[in-house]
């Protein structure tokens, strides 16, 4: 921006305000968005007492973290101190920031995220939710939209909360407000997790159920144009599922693998959307995420979408 170029994405202020998980949580509390109890681990903090106040199990998290790095689940006081020290070392090594915090741990939540989109003319909308609960080592593997488990009333409340969160930081362009959902049915509770101030890997499933080209809208917003649709224009049509294709070693607990892709060819049928960043001869190294491609299918129902994905 300082160089006179056009930045495609949210404002630097929005990115910075959500880059620190502790600061983001504090802002969400002020905005009235539900958040889990948490406390920063500082030099003078009685960590054991703080964990008891929150209630075991607790989650140790890096304030600058992501992708499961700098994160530890602690079931009892016996392993708490070592878990905090380990998370601090990993966070410092991975992000250059060793600050961690304690947060109430939910043993079996669902990972639900709301796609938001705003322009520079005051319009801010949501494009419903994505379910991202199927993960390995805190890395998403399967994403789908809409969520098969969300009650309409909970969907409405989560979408409203996502818009409150986005308004609190003056959001424009594409972004995602992520929540943890605890329980099923109309009485399920949800809690703020984070805001991803960018378009996400799983955005195609939202595009498939809404018919909106999110990247096109990002470019329009960056050009100063208003969104090409309103909230009332948006509806959910059918069901979409995305599977991430990773370079992994199944014989070694599916850990990331490196090497050369000798052959990479997208299937001709059945019909599926393949988003990839590799080709035959590409080298998979250690500097980036091991994801090679995404396979996205859309069908009238979830069962049909799953069947279609299984055939790709």
């Amino acid at each position: 921006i300082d160089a006179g170029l056009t930045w495609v994405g949210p404002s630097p202020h929005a990115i910075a305000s959500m880059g620190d998980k502790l600061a983001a949580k504090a802002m969400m509390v002020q905005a009235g968005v539900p958040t889990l109890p948490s406390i920063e681990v500082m030099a003078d903090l009685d960590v054991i007492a703080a964990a008891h106040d929150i209630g075991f199990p607790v989650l140790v998290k890096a304030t600058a973290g992501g992708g499961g790095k700098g994160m530890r689940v602690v079931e009892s006081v016996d392993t708490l101190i070592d878990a905090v020290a380990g998370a601090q070392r990993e966070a410092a090594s991975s992000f250059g920031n060793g600050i961690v915090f304690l947060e109430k741990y939910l043993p079996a939540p669902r990972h639900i995220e709301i796609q938001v989109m705003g322009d520079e003319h005051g319009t801010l909308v949501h494009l419903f939710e994505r379910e991202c609960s199927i993960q390995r080592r805190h890395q998403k593997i399967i994403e789908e939209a809409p969520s098969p488990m969300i009650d309409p009333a909970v969907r409405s409340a989560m979408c409203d909360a996502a818009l409150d969160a986005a308004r609190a930081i003056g959001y424009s362009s594409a972004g995602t407000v992520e929540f943890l959902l605890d329980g099923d049915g109309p009485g399920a509770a949800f809690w703020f997790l984070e805001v991803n101030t960018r378009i996400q890997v799983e955005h195609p499933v939202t595009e498939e159920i809404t018919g909106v080209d999110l990247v096109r809208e990002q470019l329009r917003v960056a050009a100063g144009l208003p969104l090409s649709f309103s909230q009332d224009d948006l509806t959910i049509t059918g069901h979409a599922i995305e599977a991430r294709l990773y370079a992994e070693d199944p014989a070694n607990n599916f850990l990331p693998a490196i090497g050369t892709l000798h052959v990479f060819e997208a299937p001709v049928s059945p019909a599926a959307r393949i988003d990839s960043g590799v080709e035959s001869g590409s080298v998979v190294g250690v500097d980036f995420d091991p994801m090679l491609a995404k396979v996205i299918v859309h069908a009238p129902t979830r069962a049909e979408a799953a069947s279609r994905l299984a055939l790709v």
Side-chain angles (χ1 to χ4, degrees), residues 145-146 209 236-240 298-302:
I209 66 164
I236 297 174
T237 301
H239 198 95
H298 179 260
T301 67
R302 185 176 188 244

Side-chain angles (χ1 to χ4, degrees), residues 100-312:
V100 300
F101 61 98
L102 304 181
E103 183 177 82
K104 179 61 181 175
Y105 177 68
L106 302 178
R110 304 188 79 87
H111 186 132
I112 308 294
E113 55 191 35
I114 308 297
Q115 176 72 55
V116 297
M117 175 72 75
D119 61 26
E120 298 292 346
H121 302 274
T123 301
L124 183 67
V125 302
H126 69 78
L127 292 93
F128 310 105
E129 84 281 357
R130 295 187 289 259
E131 169 99 32
C132 305
S133 300
I134 301 178
Q135 303 182 13
R136 182 168 55 237
R137 293 187 292 271
H138 304 290
Q139 290 279 5
K140 299 169 185 173
I141 300 174
I142 302 290
E143 300 106 346
E144 58 184 311
S147 168
M149 297 300 294
I150 285 192
D151 178 271
V154 175
R155 171 182 289 120
S156 179
M158 292 183 78
C159 289
D160 287 345
L163 292 177
D164 288 340
R167 289 191 192 98
I169 56 177
Y171 205 86
S172 64
S173 194
T176 305
V177 185
E178 302 200 358
F179 295 98
L180 296 176
L181 180 69
D182 192 23
D184 297 321
F190 61 89
W191 312 93
F192 172 79
L193 181 60
E194 63 181 341
V195 176
N196 277 298
T197 53
R198 52 180 169 79
I199 200 161
Q200 286 193 271
V201 171
E202 56 270 28
H203 77 271
V205 293
T206 296
E207 293 184 331
E208 293 294 323
I209 66 164
T210 62
V212 173
D213 185 332
L214 292 172
V215 176
R216 174 179 181 267
E217 293 301 321
Q218 279 192 300
L219 296 174
R220 285 176 53 86
V221 169
L225 298 172
L227 293 180
S228 64
F229 56 88
S230 68
Q231 188 70 70
D232 291 339
D233 295 326
L234 298 171
T235 57
I236 297 174
T237 301
H239 198 95
I241 305 176
E242 173 182 293
R244 299 190 186 193
L245 181 62
Y246 285 114
E248 296 176 328
D249 183 358
N252 190 23
N253 197 30
F254 289 93
L255 289 175
I258 61 173
T260 300
L261 283 171
H262 297 289
V263 179
F264 185 88
E265 295 179 0
V268 176
S269 64
R273 172 177 169 177
I274 311 293
D275 290 2
S276 66
V278 296
E279 59 186 4
S280 296
S282 293
V283 175
V284 180
V286 299
D287 298 315
F288 299 100
D289 189 287
M291 187 178 69
L292 306 176
K294 306 178 291 186
V295 181
I296 307 102
V297 294
H298 179 260
T301 67
R302 185 176 188 244
E304 290 172 285
S307 295
R308 185 168 296 175
L309 180 62
L311 295 173
V312 176

